[in-house]
Amino acid sequence: MLSARSLAGRMFLTGLLVILLLVAAGLAAMVLQARSSEATDARRVTRGVAEAFASGPGIVAALESSNPTAVLQPRAQAVQQATGVDSVVVFNTKYIQLTSPYPDYIGRPYQATPFVQQDVVPKLLAGQTVTFDVNQQGYRSIATAVPVFDAAHHPLGVVVVNFTVGRVNALVDTHLPVLLGGAAGAVLLAAAGTALASRRLLRQTRGLGPTELARMYEHHEAVLHAVREGVLIIGGDGRLTLVNDEARRLLDLPPDAERQPVAALGLDPATAALLTSPDEVTDGIHRAGERLLAVNKRPTAPYGGLPGSVVTLRDTTELHDLTDRIEAAGERRHLLYEAGLRIGRTLDMTRTCEELAEVAVGGFADTVSVDLVDAVTRGEEPPRTAALLRRTALLGPPGTAAPVGATVTVTGGSPQERAVSGTEAVTDAHHGTLTVPLRMRGGLLGLVQFRRAPGSPPFDADDVLLAQDLAARAAVSVDNARRFTREHGTAVALQRSLLPRSLPERTGLDVAHRYLPATAGVGGDWFDVIALPGFRTALVVGDVVGVGINAAVAMGRLRTAIRTFCALDLPPDEVLGRLDELVSQLDEESTDVSITGSTCVYAVYDPVSGVCTVSRAGHPAPVVLTPDGRIDCPEVPVSPPLGVGGHPFETSEIPLPPGSQLLLFSDGLVESRDQDADQGLERLRAGLEGRPGLSPEEVGTAALQAAPGPQPTDDIALLVARTGLLPPDHVAEWEVPSDPAAVGPVRNACVKQLAEWGLEEISFNTELILSELITNAIRYGVPPVRVRLLRDTTLVCEVSDGSSTAPHLRWAATTDEGGRGIFLVARLAHRWGTRYTASGKVIWSEQPLTDTAAPEGLLSAFEDW
């Protein structure tokens, strides 16, 4: 053991040298620690002791032994007693305590704190020695952890030495002899460890001499040649060092192949390159002649051998067919997985059929065509069978089948006829086709036909099952799309029936409209153009929350309600206020559908003043296209959507020069899932700006072209109104003093104006109406009193005053002296009414420009009076 030529002697001398160096380092460290602070001394003491113990001879062998505690516990106790540290604990890689000053703790797992897990363990794995503080209640110590690695630098464990702060100086003064004694004990332990290693080596060689080892080599060589797996050892110079009989058979090697270069063995270039390449191979499949070989290749140098590699070969030719089948099954499984992900992503029948074709072409068939029953494409219930189909999707080389949109006739005796008559797939090996019906609950949705090009393998039984699975998945999606198409069509029809079919011709306005339902579900967007007294016009665009039939019904209710409120001739803010209350009431009464959150914009245009009064509830603001082609976005205060409540509605007055075009629209025109409102407004601006002279119809077309896409995900409702003014010579106004005597002069002035307009035919009726209205305003109203006549398609008489008290139509008793004036007005005028303004009220009447029934109407009025 003491011989320097033996392995044991070298190990002993190396360990002794390490111990001496560590003891010297420990003594130096203790001297230096005595001159520094307690904390510094403790760090150095624990570090020196931990490193000395971790580097001591036999520590690696002990950690690799089956019972490390038997060797390390006595040594740890000896070092602990010799150095005066609190503990010397050795952990293995699983945090099991192999040594401890407390025998009960040996074998227990150590629960590492978060600090140790995060800051200490990573440094130990990197090969660093870590010294850290351990602070507990009333206790502070210094601990040093040293990792232990084997010769291949694989972690074996950790040595942790702990020392209480405050005892370092005493350690230097009183335990120096103990340290030296511990070092001597370490030397003895090293000698004992070396002796144990020497004995272990003898046991591993079983005490065999050269003769016995030669016999063992011969036996191992016999075993090597007897195994049914080819083994080759190739040297670093590319020569074949060793080859067994199985490898000779698999590669057809000559008898004298050993010690020859691999390139000179007559192997095919691919095999020679595989054997001489430095790359590792794991279960690689390589073709050598008619054989398929499973190849594994590893270098020998990293495991202590000479430079080179060892190659093992296994014949897998018989598994080739099985492998092909497994791969085919895997491809089919992957195809079904792709079908589940890609088919039916939309509720569009055409797109669903295209997705089926896209999934199948390439991996399963060369051409795929999908034909649907014509009634199914319209959303109707599928029949049991059909003779006419519609080509809905086609994918494959051009010219191989009828194009998309063509009518496909099912002829007698054809594969299509057999497929539509039954439920099973029909194969035609002659034409290389596989036809599968698309059925749902017994009804025929259509057919899908898979076609393979000439020279491709025919469809087998597994292909038929796969095709039926694909068809079944597609049939569910097509039927869902059919149902959606039917509901979508019903909702669109209902929506269109509730929207205005035509727009009235209004004074000072040229109006165009557009309505484009969403492709994914009809919403509740709507619009309306409503005539108001005084040639004013109300323009309305709204958007009801939700989609489908419920939204269409709610839209119809709101449109009817807003027409009712318009009949009251209320300001825009009051109209939206009452509509807000109605939405809240409807939601309280109904638990099935909620329309709170619906939006609306309400605008009233006056052709006399050229001013548009606008109020909006959560709706996009209107846009103005000026006569010179600029886009203007006026500031219109926005209030919360309808039904939210708790917030008043505001109005904004927008002056519109003649020729301006006012655009009211729903958010579908400027918003989408991929585009916000600002981006949509920029697109709208780019599509309209700089194009003066467009008509409202042309503006509507250009606005739709600037929409987010040709197939909107939300409804689009659009009103385009080009403004004009009532000619000034068609307006006459007078201010009436608060004196009953002023009625006559004003009445005469009005009669004179009617004569200038050529309206003598209705002059008498108008004179009576004005007399009653002006007299009531002077008698019951508040100054100022004004009279205005408006002439266009009809004659409008307006009398305004500063009072908010409105007259009411009633029957006057025989003895009543008054109460008959408004009744007379109602009988002589075509329409009459009252509207309130910010400064009072206006009583108006409307008459046709000709009065063919004037004598009868007048006589009837006086008789009733």
Side-chain angles (χ1 to χ4, degrees), residues 411-448:
T411 58
S414 65
Q416 292 90 340
E417 193 273 337
R418 285 181 286 164
V420 299
S421 301
T423 60
E424 301 295 331
V426 178
T427 58
D428 185 353
H430 178 70
H431 295 91
T433 61
L434 174 59
T435 307
V436 186
L438 297 174
R439 289 192 176 273
M440 195 68 189
R441 295 181 300 277
L444 178 67
L445 299 171
L447 295 177
V448 55

Side-chain angles (χ1 to χ4, degrees), residues 251 268 270-271 274 284-295 317 320 324:
L251 299 178
D268 62 271
T271 304
L274 175 67
I285 301 299
H286 177 76
R287 180 174 291 276
E290 298 297 328
R291 296 186 177 94
L292 283 176
L293 304 178
V295 182
T317 305
H320 178 62
D324 289 344

Side-chain angles (χ1 to χ4, degrees), residues 1 11-13 15-21 23 56-57 75 79 179-195:
M1 183 183 71
M11 291 175 56
F12 177 76
L13 293 178
L16 181 60
L17 179 60
V18 171
I19 292 173
L20 292 177
L21 291 176
V23 170
R75 188 183 300 183
V79 172
L179 178 61
L180 296 177
V187 171
L188 295 178
L189 290 175
T194 303

Side-chain angles (χ1 to χ4, degrees), residues 497-547:
S497 68
L498 295 175
L499 291 174
R501 297 188 178 183
S502 61
L503 299 182
E505 294 185 2
R506 296 299 301 156
T507 300
L509 283 182
D510 184 7
V511 184
H513 68 281
R514 293 290 188 275
Y515 173 72
L516 189 62
T519 57
V522 178
D525 291 16
W526 57 283
F527 63 91
D528 208 346
V529 177
I530 306 171
L532 297 178
F535 303 122
R536 294 173 301 122
T537 304
L539 304 172
V540 191
V541 174
D543 186 356
V544 175
V545 172
V547 296

Side-chain angles (χ1 to χ4, degrees), residues 59-70:
I59 184 69
V60 173
L63 288 173
E64 292 179 339
S65 65
S66 60
N67 188 5
T69 301

Side-chain angles (χ1 to χ4, degrees), residues 25 78 117 133 143 242 296 367 371 415 429 461 551 568 583 669 679 691 693 819 840:
Q117 288 283 3
D133 294 342
L242 183 145
N296 286 276
T367 302
D371 306 325
L568 301 177
V583 169
L669 183 66
Q679 293 173 327
R691 302 175 62 183

Side-chain angles (χ1 to χ4, degrees), residues 300-524:
T300 55
Y303 303 97
L306 297 175
S309 59
V310 57
V311 181
T312 61
L313 308 173
R314 187 172 65 256
D315 190 357
T316 61
T317 305
E318 297 178 355
L319 300 177
H320 178 62
D321 293 338
L322 179 59
T323 302
D324 289 344
R325 291 189 177 184
I326 293 175
E327 290 179 356
E331 292 176 356
R332 293 189 180 97
R333 185 168 57 252
H334 178 71
L335 188 63
L336 287 176
Y337 175 75
E338 287 291 320
L341 292 179
R342 296 170 57 183
I343 297 177
R345 291 178 294 181
T346 66
L347 289 173
D348 182 82
M349 279 187 285
T350 300
R351 183 56 194 150
T352 300
C353 296
E354 292 173 349
E355 290 168 346
L356 171 59
E358 291 169 358
V359 168
V361 166
F364 182 70
D366 298 308
T367 302
V368 176
S369 61
V370 184
D371 306 325
L372 296 182
V373 177
D374 195 54
V376 171
T377 62
R378 299 191 298 269
E380 299 177 10
E381 290 293 329
R384 301 291 299 180
T385 185
L388 291 177
L389 305 175
R390 180 76 59 183
R391 179 63 45 88
T392 308
L394 175 64
L395 190 60
T400 57
V404 173
T407 301
V408 179
T409 303
V410 178
T411 58
S414 65
Q416 292 90 340
E417 193 273 337
R418 285 181 286 164
V420 299
S421 301
T423 60
E424 301 295 331
V426 178
T427 58
D428 185 353
H430 178 70
H431 295 91
T433 61
L434 174 59
T435 307
V436 186
L438 297 174
R439 289 192 176 273
M440 195 68 189
R441 295 181 300 277
L444 178 67
L445 299 171
L447 295 177
V448 55
Q449 186 174 77
F450 306 94
R451 184 185 301 272
R452 289 181 178 174
S456 300
F459 292 103
D460 56 19
D462 292 336
D463 293 331
V464 172
L465 294 177
L466 176 60
Q468 290 176 338
D469 285 342
L470 291 175
R473 292 172 183 263
V476 173
S477 299
V478 169
D479 190 61
N480 290 337
R482 178 193 64 80
R483 292 169 175 267
F484 171 78
T485 299
R486 181 177 60 186
E487 181 178 349
H488 183 268
T490 303
V492 169
L494 177 61
Q495 179 90 338
R496 291 190 182 277
S497 68
L498 295 175
L499 291 174
R501 297 188 178 183
S502 61
L503 299 182
E505 294 185 2
R506 296 299 301 156
T507 300
L509 283 182
D510 184 7
V511 184
H513 68 281
R514 293 290 188 275
Y515 173 72
L516 189 62
T519 57
V522 178

Side-chain angles (χ1 to χ4, degrees), residues 67-101:
N67 188 5
T69 301
V71 177
L72 298 178
Q73 178 68 7
R75 188 183 300 183
Q77 291 178 344
V79 172
Q80 178 181 351
Q81 295 175 359
T83 59
V85 296
D86 289 348
S87 64
V88 178
V89 182
V90 181
F91 298 92
N92 62 11
T93 56
K94 297 181 179 179
Y95 300 100
I96 303 300
Q97 301 183 39
L98 304 179
T99 67
S100 175

